[in-house]
């Protein structure tokens, strides 16, 4: 009679089984599903903070220009007023002044900033970004516009 030889289990395995790989893959997918929303939220928060910082820079440039013009802010509305900050300009004494910004800034979503000033009702100009959706939400009624005025953020 032939004796049946049993296979001895080898002391070392050279590869993972398909089941082991699938379990590890499932764990990785589960962790990614939990972490990804937090990362996306953090990116959105970073974009908003970057846009707010840029708005402060633009506001400071308009304030510096107003100081040289006897406290008078530009009356022009729209993104064209911001464009003019990158050009030489003449102050109230008739002296040429250097540009206040090197280039026209854009928000974190690559949209133009907006500017408006009403000397009858505003103490300072309103500078805002349309936010992530890229559309004007109408000032204080907006859900995602980002502005330098407190009334727009309340």
């Amino acid at each position: 009679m032939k004796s049946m030889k049993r296979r001895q289990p080898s002391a070392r395995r050279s590869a993972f089984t398909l089941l082991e790989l699938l379990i590890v893959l499932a764990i990785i997918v589960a962790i990614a599903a939990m972490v990804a929303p937090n990362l996306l939220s953090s990116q959105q928060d970073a974009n908003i903070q970057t846009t707010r910082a840029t708005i402060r820079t633009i506001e400071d440039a308009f304030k510096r220009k107003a100081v040289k013009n006897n406290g008078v802010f530009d009356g022009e509305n729209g993104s064209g007023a911001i464009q003019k900050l990158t050009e030489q300009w003449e102050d109230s004494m008739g002296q040429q002044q250097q540009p206040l910004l090197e280039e026209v800034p854009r928000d974190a979503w690559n949209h133009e900033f907006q500017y408006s000033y009403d000397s009858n009702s505003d103490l300072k100009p309103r500078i805002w970004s349309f936010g992530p959706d890229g559309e004007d939400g109408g000032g204080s009624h907006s859900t995602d516009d980002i502005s330098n005025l407190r009334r727009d953020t309340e």
Side-chain angles (χ1 to χ4, degrees), residues 37-53 56 108-109 132 146:
N38 291 334
L39 292 177
L40 294 176
S41 175
S42 296
Q43 179 63 47
Q44 187 77 328
D45 290 345
N47 286 343
I48 290 169
Q49 293 306 317
T50 299
T51 299
R52 283 194 177 129
R56 283 191 297 273
W109 302 276
I146 302 164

Side-chain angles (χ1 to χ4, degrees), residues 16-114:
F16 293 107
T17 66
L18 180 60
L19 181 60
E20 290 170 330
L21 291 174
L22 289 175
I23 291 171
V24 169
L25 184 63
I27 291 170
I28 291 171
V29 167
I31 291 171
M34 290 186 285
V35 172
N38 291 334
L39 292 177
L40 294 176
S41 175
S42 296
Q43 179 63 47
Q44 187 77 328
D45 290 345
N47 286 343
I48 290 169
Q49 293 306 317
T50 299
T51 299
R52 283 194 177 129
T54 306
I55 287 172
R56 283 191 297 273
T57 300
I58 296 168
E59 183 178 6
D60 288 344
F62 276 112
K63 286 179 180 178
R64 289 192 314 268
K65 188 172 183 178
V67 165
K68 294 277 189 171
N69 284 315
N70 298 322
V72 177
F73 287 103
D74 282 345
E76 178 181 339
N77 291 327
S79 59
I82 298 170
Q83 168 70 37
K84 287 186 176 181
L85 294 174
T86 64
E87 302 166 0
Q88 285 191 342
W89 54 282
E90 194 173 287
D91 66 14
S92 61
M93 305 286 282
Q95 295 178 344
Q96 281 294 108
Q97 299 292 322
Q98 293 300 313
L100 295 164
L101 297 174
E102 290 182 15
E103 60 184 31
V104 177
R106 298 182 76 81
D107 67 12
W109 302 276
N110 204 29
H111 304 129
E112 291 181 339
F113 286 96
Q114 301 300 310

